[in-house]
Amino acid sequence: MTAVLIPFPSTRQTGKIRHVAAILRRKHGRDADRYWRQVVLVMRAQLQRAQIDPETVEQELRAFSREVFARLPFPETSTNPRGAA
C-alpha cells in the first residue's frame, strides 16, 4: 500500500513567515540573499526528508515565498506617481 504525504501548508506557517520577513527587512544585499537561500534550503530539506513529492515541495516553497515577499516593502521604481518616465 502506498500513502500520499501532504505537508502542512507553508502559507499557514504565519509565525515563520512573519519571522523571515522581519529578518529580511533588516538585512540588505548579499546578507539578505544568503539568509533567504538558507531558509529555502532548510525548508526544502525538511520536506524532502518527509518524503514529499518534488512537485509539491516546489509548490510549497513558491507559496511560502509569495507570503514572505508580500510582507516586504519594495523600493519605488519611479518618482512619477503615474509610472511614466
Side-chain angles (χ1 to χ4, degrees):
M1 183 188 323
T2 304
V4 176
L5 296 175
I6 301 170
F8 184 79
S10 61
T11 57
R12 302 291 182 151
Q13 297 180 26
T14 55
K16 182 173 185 135
I17 291 166
R18 282 192 300 261
H19 176 75
V20 170
I23 290 174
L24 286 173
R25 277 198 256 1
R26 292 190 308 261
K27 292 184 177 285
H28 301 284
R30 288 183 183 187
D31 285 340
D33 291 340
R34 191 176 310 118
Y35 175 73
W36 178 248
R37 281 193 305 271
Q38 184 64 29
V39 168
V40 171
L41 182 72
V42 168
M43 287 183 69
R44 179 177 279 118
Q46 289 170 339
L47 291 166
Q48 289 172 338
R49 272 194 308 277
Q51 298 180 349
I52 305 299
D53 72 275
E55 184 177 328
T56 303
V57 169
E58 295 308 315
Q59 289 172 355
E60 288 300 314
L61 292 173
R62 281 192 302 273
F64 183 78
S65 297
R66 280 192 302 273
E67 292 297 320
V68 169
F69 287 104
R71 288 165 172 75
L72 296 178
F74 287 97
E76 293 290 324
T77 56
S78 171
T79 57
N80 185 332
R82 294 187 182 137

